[in-house]
Amino acid sequence: MKRAVLTAGVAAVAVAAGIGTTVVAQAAAAGCRVTYSVPSQWSGGFTANVSITNLGDPLTSWRLTWAFPSGQSITQAWNATVTQSGSQVAAANMSYNGSVATNASVSFGFNGQFSTTNTSPTSFAVNGTTCTGSVTPTTGAPTTAPPTTAPPTTAPPTTPPPTSGWNPPSNLVQPLNEVWTHQEQTYNNGNLYGFRNYGWDQLLANRGYINYCVRWDSSASVTATQRDQIHAALQRQYKKWMDVMVGHNNWPYTDVPVRVVGWAVRDRAQLQWSDTSVDIYVNNIRENAPQCSEPCGRFFNQGGTYPNCPGGAARHYDHSLWLTAGFGGGAGGDWGQRVGSEYFMGALNSDNIHIFLHELGHTYGLDDFYDWTPTGQCCFIMKAGSASTITEFDKWMFRDWWRHLKSRYGY
């Protein structure tokens, strides 16, 4: 379903310990620096971001190695090929990010698991040389006079060329234009730009993070372990769409933390944990389903202030994850996403929870394609039932929204 179809309330649930841990390791492989950060951590799991700054000569490829001090293991990575043997980890560049100019940076990230503690590594090496944060000469001083040929008249670039603002593959230009024209004509009674609660608006209002509430519309109980697995799956799936934007057209974020700050349930006894990591809303029924506090919901407070939210603005929620027993298919809009609880629970460890990914696309404005197909396109995740992963066409449709809306945020 399209955005804003349901007036569903949304609740938020908080994500856990250790958020924001950052370690800066000084490194040199002829000169480099590595920043390792943990923006999200939950019971037994975490998300880490790694940034490599090249302080030496330009690189054409890179391989970063380190050892985990607490027995952590990596379960999923992006923007790098990661291998692990015991505590030893190696991350190598992809085909598109191997070149790193002097003073430029390259980043990648991963999700991981740990048993008891999640101590951050502090020592890294790039291409076999331990990092120290300063430039180390790779050769001694010359023993003969330098060549007499003149130096180049222009200095070599020290940073990568800027990413083009809009450079889709030529075969996608026409279908992308068709999609955008269709959206302009059909959204919000022909006033697409007048609507101010797309996922883009919510994310930019927060300056780069999203809060969720889970509406548990089921009679089943939920253990603390299941709760944490739901949170982790939600974060992984959300990241798939956010990663589409990294480095593109002045997109301001390299990582978008997704926090669950609340759960709504009919009976408190269904939630089998006693900690206070999330706000819990009991028997607040709307649309015949548990609802999180309306004063805390972005859908109900689109001005972005939450004066009557019991937990304060920090505990507000932007989206609801509405998990309904026996529900087939899905729904999505500016209020959040709705899928079957059995479906989502059965897909917790799946690489792509494709119905959820489709519905999250609607939150960010992407259209449905039940009655038409753009020129030359066949199968993509926003055409329900035709693909189980985000395709290149999906990615460029997503980026097209940013192209048209970014000026409202000053970009």
Side-chain angles (χ1 to χ4, degrees):
M1 295 176 77
K2 261 183 211 169
R3 50 170 187 55
V5 192
L6 303 178
T7 56
V10 211
V13 187
V15 95
I19 294 176
T21 302
T22 301
V23 173
V24 176
Q26 303 300 317
C32 68
R33 179 173 59 249
V34 174
T35 301
Y36 179 101
S37 62
V38 180
S40 299
Q41 181 170 302
W42 56 95
S43 178
F46 67 101
T47 297
N49 291 327
V50 183
S51 176
I52 306 168
T53 301
N54 177 29
L55 304 177
D57 294 336
L59 300 175
T60 57
S61 64
W62 52 266
R63 183 175 183 269
L64 181 71
T65 56
W66 73 90
F68 275 129
S70 303
Q72 299 98 319
S73 61
I74 293 176
T75 58
Q76 179 188 27
W78 47 93
N79 294 334
T81 299
V82 177
T83 57
Q84 182 171 359
S85 177
S87 64
Q88 301 298 314
V89 184
N93 63 272
M94 306 292 283
S95 60
Y96 53 82
N97 63 358
S99 296
V100 187
T102 303
N103 294 324
S105 298
V106 63
S107 299
F108 66 93
F110 59 85
N111 291 324
Q113 298 175 334
F114 64 94
S115 297
T116 55
T117 59
N118 184 26
T119 306
S120 297
T122 57
S123 179
F124 299 86
V126 172
N127 294 347
T129 301
T130 301
C131 295
T132 63
S134 61
V135 178
T136 301
T138 56
T139 62
T143 57
T144 59
T148 57
T149 48
T153 56
T154 58
T158 57
T159 57
T163 302
S164 173
W166 181 245
N167 56 349
S170 59
N171 66 308
L172 298 184
V173 171
Q174 179 180 343
L176 288 169
N177 287 339
E178 292 171 356
V179 170
W180 192 257
T181 298
H182 183 266
Q183 290 170 160
E184 284 186 319
Q185 293 172 346
T186 60
Y187 277 29
N188 199 34
N189 297 317
N191 186 19
L192 178 151
Y193 301 98
F195 188 76
R196 294 276 174 165
N197 200 41
Y198 298 112
W200 308 98
D201 298 304
Q202 299 169 25
L203 176 59
L204 271 293
N206 291 344
R207 294 181 174 86
Y209 71 88
I210 288 292
N211 283 351
Y212 261 92
C213 177
V214 177
R215 301 181 71 181
W216 185 248
D217 189 10
S218 169
S219 61
S221 297
V222 184
T223 67
T225 297
Q226 289 173 320
R227 173 200 66 187
D228 294 343
Q229 290 173 330
I230 290 170
H231 296 185
L234 180 62
Q235 292 166 327
R236 290 195 306 271
Q237 299 304 303
Y238 212 101
K239 186 173 181 59
K240 289 180 180 292
W241 277 118
M242 294 297 99
D243 282 351
V244 169
M245 296 305 304
V246 174
H248 176 77
N249 201 3
N250 294 324
W251 177 249
Y253 310 115
T254 57
D255 178 67
V256 174
V258 175
R259 308 164 179 148
V260 184
V261 297
W263 277 65
V265 67
R266 285 184 170 84
D267 183 353
R268 176 63 181 85
Q270 291 177 262
L271 305 182
Q272 298 177 356
W273 64 82
S274 59
D275 63 68
T276 58
S277 60
V278 297
D279 297 325
I280 295 175
Y281 305 97
V282 179
N283 206 31
N284 178 27
I285 304 301
R286 299 288 187 274
E287 301 162 322
N288 197 33
Q291 165 91 19
C292 300
S293 174
E294 293 181 6
C296 298
R298 164 81 186 198
F299 182 83
F300 307 103
N301 301 272
Q302 295 185 18
T305 60
Y306 306 92
N308 300 313
C309 180
R315 308 292 278 189
H316 87 278
Y317 58 91
D318 304 292
H319 309 338
S320 287
L321 176 61
W322 187 354
L323 301 177
T324 302
F327 187 72
D334 60 323
W335 48 268
Q337 305 83 41
R338 185 184 189 186
V339 298
S341 57
E342 299 92 344
Y343 164 76
F344 198 85
M345 296 300 289
L348 288 177
N349 295 317
S350 298
D351 187 28
N352 292 282
I353 305 180
H354 68 278
I355 297 178
F356 172 80
L357 289 172
H358 175 97
E359 305 308 337
L360 182 55
H362 289 324
T363 298
Y364 281 83
L366 296 181
D367 205 356
D368 266 321
F369 295 87
Y370 295 125
D371 55 355
W372 75 289
T373 302
T375 298
Q377 303 309 304
C378 158
C379 309
F380 49 99
I381 205 161
M382 293 313 300
K383 184 175 182 178
S386 69
S388 60
T389 61
I390 297 170
T391 68
E392 280 301 303
F393 188 58
D394 292 306
K395 293 176 182 179
W396 283 102
M397 286 194 296
F398 196 70
R399 291 167 179 152
D400 208 7
W401 273 89
W402 173 247
R403 175 169 74 115
H404 285 90
L405 294 189
K406 68 189 182 77
S407 61
R408 72 164 60 169
Y409 316 117
Y411 292 96

